[in-house]
Amino acid sequence: MTQATASSTATPTMQMSPKRAQQVVKMAKGIRHNFPEFTTISDAQLIYATWRSFKQIDQTNDSDYQTMAKVFFHEFDQHLLHYQFSKAGQETMIRQRFFALLTNLL
């Protein structure tokens, strides 16, 4: 029973197409370069949050850049920074930075 509990809380395997994998890596590098706020975040966490963002985007029909930037903002703000951007009132500014990265990437 302990083994079942341990495996049920494990991080899911990141499965994606080669094209999506390239996008995840490029986006993660762009985030690392353009967001000094994430210097304390490990590369593994950054890549995982980037993958989760793209996964959420892939599951919706609405994938314009504004919506995508909002998904990235919420993923990073909520899961990596525990709402630091929201608490500081920086949502608009951070979403614009994600928007700029996405337009350059895609």
Side-chain angles (χ1 to χ4, degrees):
M1 185 152 163
T2 305
Q3 291 176 344
T5 304
S7 65
S8 65
T9 60
T11 304
T13 304
M14 290 189 292
Q15 296 180 355
M16 63 194 104
S17 70
K19 181 180 177 182
R20 178 58 84 203
Q22 287 177 337
Q23 291 172 333
V24 167
V25 169
K26 284 178 86 175
M27 185 69 176
K29 285 180 180 179
I31 292 168
R32 177 66 75 206
H33 181 71
N34 291 293
F35 283 87
E37 299 90 346
F38 297 130
T39 56
T40 60
I41 305 300
S42 71
D43 287 341
Q45 289 175 302
L46 190 73
I47 288 171
Y48 183 69
T50 303
W51 171 75
R52 279 180 47 106
S53 298
F54 276 121
K55 185 176 177 185
Q56 290 175 28
I57 291 164
D58 289 343
Q59 293 173 351
T60 66
N61 292 332
D62 188 13
S63 60
D64 63 274
Y65 292 137
Q66 291 291 344
T67 301
M68 293 169 75
K70 186 176 182 177
V71 168
F72 271 90
F73 170 80
H74 286 292
E75 176 66 31
F76 280 78
D77 187 44
Q78 180 180 4
H79 295 288
L80 293 182
L81 296 180
H82 308 290
Y83 300 102
Q84 288 179 15
F85 289 141
S86 296
K87 290 176 185 174
Q90 296 178 320
E91 181 173 358
T92 302
M93 179 189 65
I94 299 300
R95 282 176 55 187
Q96 289 173 346
R97 289 166 62 191
F98 277 120
F99 178 88
L101 281 174
L102 287 162
T103 57
N104 286 333
L105 174 70
L106 306 174

